[in-house]
Amino acid sequence: ETIQKIQYPMLADPTGKLARDFEVMIEEDGMAERGTFIVNPEGRIVVYEVNSGSIGRNAEELLRKVQAAQFVAEHGDQVCPARWKPGEKTLTPGLNLVGKL
């Protein structure tokens, strides 16, 4: 019942093919590390994070990264600095930023 309420695409990897393709499979355990991959509409991975199964993930930070990826996809001439949140100031890439962040 709980899974039926989810309103976004999810996938399963019962054969472990994706885990192997993303190089997160622990073969001797038959399990994968905890991997999060944000893929843009062009099919390119723009954010990824892999955690050991014993280290938790932060859903709020994942959401922030998804929002930043969406913003950058729409505004390609700007970048989102660390801890950026929607509505906050972004940066314009350039040599003037080198060594100042």
Side-chain angles (χ1 to χ4, degrees):
E1 287 183 30
T2 302
I3 290 178
Q4 292 174 346
K5 295 177 185 177
I6 294 174
Q7 298 295 312
Y8 53 87
M10 290 187 65
L11 60 99
D13 186 22
T15 66
K17 179 176 176 6
L18 285 175
R20 288 180 185 88
D21 287 350
F22 285 105
E23 299 180 1
V24 296
M25 179 60 91
I26 307 167
E27 293 293 344
E28 58 272 13
D29 295 339
M31 296 176 52
E33 296 288 10
R34 293 177 172 184
T36 302
F37 301 86
I38 299 173
V39 181
N40 70 10
E42 292 77 34
R44 183 171 179 227
I45 296 172
V46 294
V47 176
Y48 69 92
E49 179 179 43
V50 179
N51 296 50
S52 168
S54 60
I55 298 174
R57 294 170 286 181
N58 183 325
E60 289 177 11
E61 176 62 3
L62 174 58
L63 176 59
R64 186 197 71 79
K65 289 177 182 180
V66 168
Q67 292 168 328
Q70 290 172 330
F71 181 90
V72 170
E74 188 175 330
H75 306 90
D77 62 335
Q78 298 174 49
V79 297
C80 299
R83 295 183 297 280
W84 173 90
K85 291 184 181 174
E88 292 182 352
K89 184 178 178 182
T90 57
L91 301 171
T92 301
L95 291 176
N96 60 327
L97 294 178
V98 175
K100 295 182 180 175
L101 298 177

